[in-house]
Amino acid sequence: MARIYNFSAGPSILPLQALEEAAEKMVDYEGSGMSLVEMSHRGKIYDSVHSETISLTRELLNIPEDYDILLLQGGATLQFGMVPMSFLKEGMTADYVVTGSWAKKALNDGKLIGKVNVAWDGKENNYTTIPDAKDLNLTKDAAYIHICSNETIGGIQWQDFPKTDAPLIADMSSEIMSRPLPWDKLDMVYAGAQKNLAPSGMALIIMKKSLLEKARTDIPAYLQYATHAEANSLYNTPPTFSIWMANLTFKWIKSIGGMAEIEKRRDEKAKLLYDAIDGSNGYYRSPVDAKSRSKMNMVWRLPSEDLEAAFIKEADKEGLSGLKGHRSVGGIRASVYNAMPKEGIVTLVDFMTKFMEKNG
Amino acid sequence: MARIYNFSAGPSILPLQALEEAAEKMVDYEGSGMSLVEMSHRGKIYDSVHSETISLTRELLNIPEDYDILLLQGGATLQFGMVPMSFLKEGMTADYVVTGSWAKKALNDGKLIGKVNVAWDGKENNYTTIPDAKDLNLTKDAAYIHICSNETIGGIQWQDFPKTDAPLIADMSSEIMSRPLPWDKLDMVYAGAQKNLAPSGMALIIMKKSLLEKARTDIPAYLQYATHAEANSLYNTPPTFSIWMANLTFKWIKSIGGMAEIEKRRDEKAKLLYDAIDGSNGYYRSPVDAKSRSKMNMVWRLPSEDLEAAFIKEADKEGLSGLKGHRSVGGIRASVYNAMPKEGIVTLVDFMTKFMEKNG
């Protein structure tokens, strides 16, 4: 069995040891005579995995005690709706910063619920840059300010976060757990699991208790944040496999040195790849603003679409998979999530050099 | 490794061969060099599993072409909210038949959205019976009539379904795929996966297209049924592991003979257990109306709570796990889902006989 290098944007590469442990214990979980995914979510064994996953989240991201940690279903997509349903009440306005496709999806759900203000829109530059804090047109007493911290399709990322008066809510699906987070600036963070955390089927929500207390409680039970906060995310049956895999992923992160080491590796991998792009004399070209470049999803172009197609095809043959850019923008995209080893980037950069020599 | 007999109400026993196949392919899916749960949900390999799962659902349950099949997240609990949000519009009334805890949860979400009518409530008899169709107090031109076809906690089940004028919507979480379904009577069926289908994290929704067309489209994207119907349940990242496991479970069902064989086995297993209860001269006592007895979740009492506690403890030592009744009602409960082999029931009945001899 040869593991390939999987640069898919999500679902995406997972730590090998997490997959191996899941395989080993799939039929008989630690001598219990059944799989963890066959067990009652009210039982001791599952509960210990569940609770440990939540406490590892708190430990790794250094989350203050006045934040709740929730593990829900529906991915970030359901959060696009739950956020305005909970917080965008009659007479209020919510600010949305539109940096690309994902931010826009959140905005669209907000519009269906109440009054929204587009605080900034990157359309003019084809969503290739992140705004400066001073350029945001914020509403006084906004219900919240919504941002997408990393745009998977456009390949741009907020390098730091503005300090805002209204609660700042960030969709961090494609970068969660890749760097330490500044809790003095963030009131709510949410993320689908299927990039840096676990297989799909779970969303991680981290929310300041003072914000959660403002959430509406006259909406269906599953859509109320309080339902899940009060029940430690066990109000209904949780997505046990995704949570188990997040548990194994978090243990792997902890074993290598936590967020500090993860961030260091992220920066190293991103530098290797951007240096290869920048050192190619324009053969490889990053379409995004240099200061906004994502360290998770790197996008670049080749001199022609034919060459891009050839690049993707040949890379795939070399075990470098999932490099095709999103269909809405084209080009090349390498999603370099936590579980991607440095060797994957070294192999990719080596391939890029050879491809350029052959086709330059 | 000794597999135990797992009578847990959910999450619950899964077909052994499905677990074994998942274990075998967890790290490298059929020579692809990665796990299925690491793959893009837009790629060919995942898509073939996804589409096959939907077509197997249609084939096994003989679902007519004018019904859509959706695979969502949030379990049945999110459906409690999505149903009234979609169909209980201003000026309309929805009928709810309250047969126990689960039907009541659906009712509670309905109340938050609009006007509801309790068409029948089994509270008087402590939720031990299913009503006759003639006893339902239905609203003329109701938005829909909601029932829970099998109450996991109370251990009662609708043996057949009323033919109603308004759309009949059934929560079938704890019995889906245990018998053929009469599509001339059912307009919508929904079910959490974690009993008869797959590990938790997925809900199966089967809905008549003419009903789906009536659903509101001015609510957040994830909460609109049309979003998922138009995208073949690939609008956002689906819960890939649960869907893969449902695929393997459905193949197992097909391999043994489909719904006819599943129903035959269900009836055999239920008869063995109820015969043991009825033949115990009152030592074991079923608290529910004989005609309403569930064939999935069998509940019974012993002469005292002390004996019940001893029964559960000793059974557990014999590898008969998860027999404790729900905390809200006490007693004994055996959840006998599709994957429970007949040998599990034979072993349980044998244990019951011996326990009675020793403690009778």
Side-chain angles (χ1 to χ4, degrees):
Chain A
M1 199 281 296
R3 288 273 291 177
I4 52 131
Y5 292 117
N6 172 12
F7 292 95
S8 173
S12 49
I13 189 168
L14 294 164
L16 180 58
Q17 68 186 67
L19 289 168
E20 285 173 342
E21 188 164 337
E24 187 199 321
K25 298 181 178 177
M26 183 55 70
V27 176
D28 180 22
Y29 188 78
E30 301 184 350
S32 63
M34 55 181 142
S35 179
L36 188 73
V37 299
E38 296 180 295
M39 286 182 196
S40 170
H41 57 299
R42 310 274 174 216
K44 274 182 200 167
I45 299 177
Y46 175 74
D47 191 59
S48 73
V49 172
H50 186 92
S51 298
E52 187 183 52
T53 309
I54 293 171
S55 53
L56 280 167
T57 308
R58 195 177 293 282
E59 180 185 342
L60 290 171
L61 283 173
N62 200 21
I63 301 167
E65 285 301 321
D66 61 334
Y67 284 69
D68 278 312
I69 298 169
L70 310 177
L71 305 174
L72 305 189
Q73 294 181 58
T77 303
L78 184 57
Q79 295 308 305
F80 295 162
M82 278 176 68
V83 164
M85 285 180 77
S86 290
F87 302 116
L88 183 46
K89 297 173 193 168
E90 191 69 33
M92 301 187 90
T93 299
D95 287 335
Y96 281 83
V97 182
V98 182
T99 46
S101 304
W102 295 107
K104 211 182 291 178
K105 285 201 176 192
L107 169 71
N108 288 342
D109 269 3
K111 277 182 189 169
L112 287 166
I113 300 299
K115 197 176 163 199
V116 298
N117 165 54
V118 175
W120 188 85
D121 193 323
K123 194 178 180 184
E124 200 172 282
N125 302 308
N126 204 23
Y127 302 112
T128 54
T129 189
I130 296 290
D132 286 335
K134 66 174 172 46
D135 294 330
L136 301 177
N137 172 32
L138 300 177
T139 306
K140 191 173 146 53
D141 300 326
Y144 55 83
I145 300 153
H146 183 279
I147 63 170
C148 174
S149 71
N150 185 72
E151 289 279 358
T152 326
I153 296 176
I156 55 175
Q157 184 173 27
W158 291 72
Q159 307 301 328
D160 48 53
F161 300 95
K163 177 84 186 153
T164 57
D165 293 329
L168 184 64
I169 298 179
D171 170 9
M172 303 190 100
S173 295
S174 50
E175 70 145 296
I176 189 78
M177 286 245 175
S178 68
R179 55 170 162 169
L181 294 176
W183 296 110
D184 58 322
K185 294 176 177 172
L186 294 160
D187 296 83
M188 173 180 174
V189 160
Y190 64 89
Q194 67 273 11
K195 284 98 158 54
N196 270 333
L197 305 180
S200 61
M202 185 189 99
L204 168 65
I205 290 113
I206 306 164
M207 193 187 295
K208 206 166 190 173
K209 287 179 195 287
S210 58
L211 178 64
L212 196 146
E213 283 161 11
K214 290 183 202 164
R216 279 178 64 173
T217 54
D218 58 350
I219 54 178
Y222 197 88
L223 303 174
Q224 293 179 37
Y225 290 110
T227 299
H228 306 289
E230 284 161 16
N232 195 32
S233 301
L234 287 166
Y235 173 74
N236 67 329
T237 316
T240 55
F241 179 72
S242 296
I243 293 171
W244 176 24
M245 289 295 286
N247 182 287
L248 298 176
T249 298
F250 295 170
K251 282 179 180 158
W252 168 73
I253 293 176
K254 191 173 167 177
S255 75
I256 63 166
M259 276 305 105
E261 177 65 18
I262 284 283
E263 188 184 31
K264 185 170 149 260
R265 293 185 185 190
R266 177 196 74 154
D267 291 351
E268 269 175 15
K269 290 183 284 182
K271 189 172 185 308
L272 273 173
L273 197 44
Y274 282 123
D275 281 354
I277 292 168
D278 294 339
S280 72
N281 287 318
Y283 186 79
Y284 298 115
R285 183 178 53 80
S286 163
V288 310
D289 183 17
K291 75 168 174 40
S292 303
R293 285 175 173 181
S294 170
K295 289 177 176 172
M296 287 279 110
N297 311 94
M298 293 74 163
V299 298
W300 67 93
R301 307 301 309 239
L302 268 71
S304 74
E305 289 187 8
D306 285 349
L307 282 167
E308 287 170 349
F311 181 96
I312 292 158
K313 200 173 164 186
E314 287 181 33
D316 198 63
K317 279 186 201 152
E318 303 287 321
L320 300 160
S321 162
L323 287 166
K324 192 172 178 180
H326 190 268
R327 60 190 184 281
S328 63
V329 292
I332 313 292
R333 171 174 60 180
S335 294
V336 183
Y337 296 122
N338 289 346
M340 175 60 67
K342 188 177 164 184
E343 294 71 37
I345 307 301
V346 171
T347 307
L348 173 57
V349 165
D350 189 49
F351 171 79
M352 288 167 75
T353 307
K354 284 183 188 144
F355 186 90
M356 181 171 68
E357 282 166 9
K358 209 173 80 180
N359 302 281
Chain B
M1 200 281 296
R3 288 272 292 177
I4 53 131
Y5 292 117
N6 172 12
F7 293 95
S8 174
S12 49
I13 189 169
L14 294 164
L16 180 57
Q17 68 186 67
L19 290 167
E20 285 173 341
E21 187 165 337
E24 188 198 321
K25 298 181 177 177
M26 183 55 70
V27 176
D28 179 23
Y29 188 78
E30 301 184 350
S32 63
M34 55 181 142
S35 179
L36 188 73
V37 299
E38 296 180 295
M39 286 181 196
S40 169
H41 58 298
R42 310 273 174 216
K44 274 182 202 167
I45 298 177
Y46 175 74
D47 191 59
S48 73
V49 172
H50 186 91
S51 298
E52 187 183 52
T53 308
I54 293 171
S55 54
L56 281 167
T57 308
R58 194 177 295 281
E59 180 185 341
L60 290 171
L61 283 173
N62 200 20
I63 301 167
E65 286 300 321
D66 60 335
Y67 284 69
D68 278 312
I69 298 169
L70 311 178
L71 305 175
L72 304 190
Q73 295 181 57
T77 303
L78 183 57
Q79 295 308 305
F80 296 162
M82 277 177 68
V83 164
M85 285 180 77
S86 290
F87 302 116
L88 183 46
K89 297 173 193 169
E90 191 69 35
M92 300 186 90
T93 300
D95 288 335
Y96 281 82
V97 182
V98 182
T99 47
S101 304
W102 295 106
K104 213 182 290 178
K105 285 201 176 191
L107 170 70
N108 288 342
D109 269 4
K111 277 182 190 168
L112 288 165
I113 301 299
K115 196 176 163 200
V116 298
N117 165 54
V118 174
W120 188 86
D121 193 322
K123 193 178 178 183
E124 201 172 280
N125 302 308
N126 204 24
Y127 302 111
T128 54
T129 189
I130 296 291
D132 286 334
K134 67 173 171 48
D135 294 330
L136 301 177
N137 173 30
L138 300 177
T139 307
K140 191 174 145 54
D141 299 325
Y144 55 82
I145 300 153
H146 183 280
I147 64 170
C148 174
S149 71
N150 184 71
E151 289 280 358
T152 326
I153 295 175
I156 55 175
Q157 184 172 26
W158 292 71
Q159 307 302 329
D160 47 53
F161 299 95
K163 177 86 185 149
T164 57
D165 293 330
L168 185 63
I169 298 179
D171 171 7
M172 302 190 102
S173 294
S174 50
E175 69 145 298
I176 188 79
M177 285 246 177
S178 68
R179 55 170 161 169
L181 294 176
W183 295 110
D184 58 322
K185 294 176 177 172
L186 295 160
D187 296 84
M188 174 178 173
V189 160
Y190 65 88
Q194 67 273 12
K195 283 96 158 55
N196 271 333
L197 306 181
S200 60
M202 185 189 98
L204 168 64
I205 290 114
I206 305 164
M207 192 187 296
K208 206 166 189 172
K209 287 179 195 286
S210 57
L211 178 63
L212 196 145
E213 283 160 12
K214 292 184 201 163
R216 279 178 64 173
T217 54
D218 58 349
I219 54 179
Y222 197 90
L223 303 174
Q224 293 180 37
Y225 290 110
T227 300
H228 306 289
E230 284 161 15
N232 195 32
S233 300
L234 287 165
Y235 173 74
N236 67 330
T237 316
T240 55
F241 180 71
S242 296
I243 293 171
W244 175 25
M245 289 295 286
N247 182 287
L248 298 176
T249 298
F250 295 170
K251 282 178 180 158
W252 168 73
I253 292 176
K254 192 174 167 176
S255 75
I256 63 167
M259 276 305 106
E261 177 65 17
I262 283 284
E263 188 183 32
K264 184 170 150 254
R265 291 186 185 189
R266 177 196 74 154
D267 291 351
E268 268 176 14
K269 290 184 284 182
K271 188 171 186 310
L272 273 173
L273 197 44
Y274 282 123
D275 281 353
I277 292 168
D278 294 339
S280 72
N281 287 318
Y283 187 78
Y284 298 116
R285 184 177 53 80
S286 163
V288 310
D289 184 18
K291 75 169 174 39
S292 303
R293 285 175 173 181
S294 170
K295 290 178 176 172
M296 287 279 110
N297 311 94
M298 292 74 164
V299 298
W300 68 94
R301 306 302 307 240
L302 269 71
S304 75
E305 289 188 7
D306 284 350
L307 282 167
E308 287 170 349
F311 181 96
I312 292 158
K313 200 173 163 184
E314 288 181 33
D316 197 62
K317 279 185 201 151
E318 302 287 320
L320 300 160
S321 163
L323 287 165
K324 194 173 177 178
H326 191 268
R327 60 190 184 282
S328 63
V329 292
I332 313 293
R333 171 175 57 180
S335 295
V336 182
Y337 296 121
N338 288 347
M340 174 62 66
K342 187 176 165 184
E343 295 70 38
I345 306 301
V346 171
T347 307
L348 172 58
V349 165
D350 189 49
F351 171 79
M352 287 167 75
T353 306
K354 285 183 186 145
F355 186 90
M356 181 171 68
E357 282 167 9
K358 209 173 80 180
N359 301 282

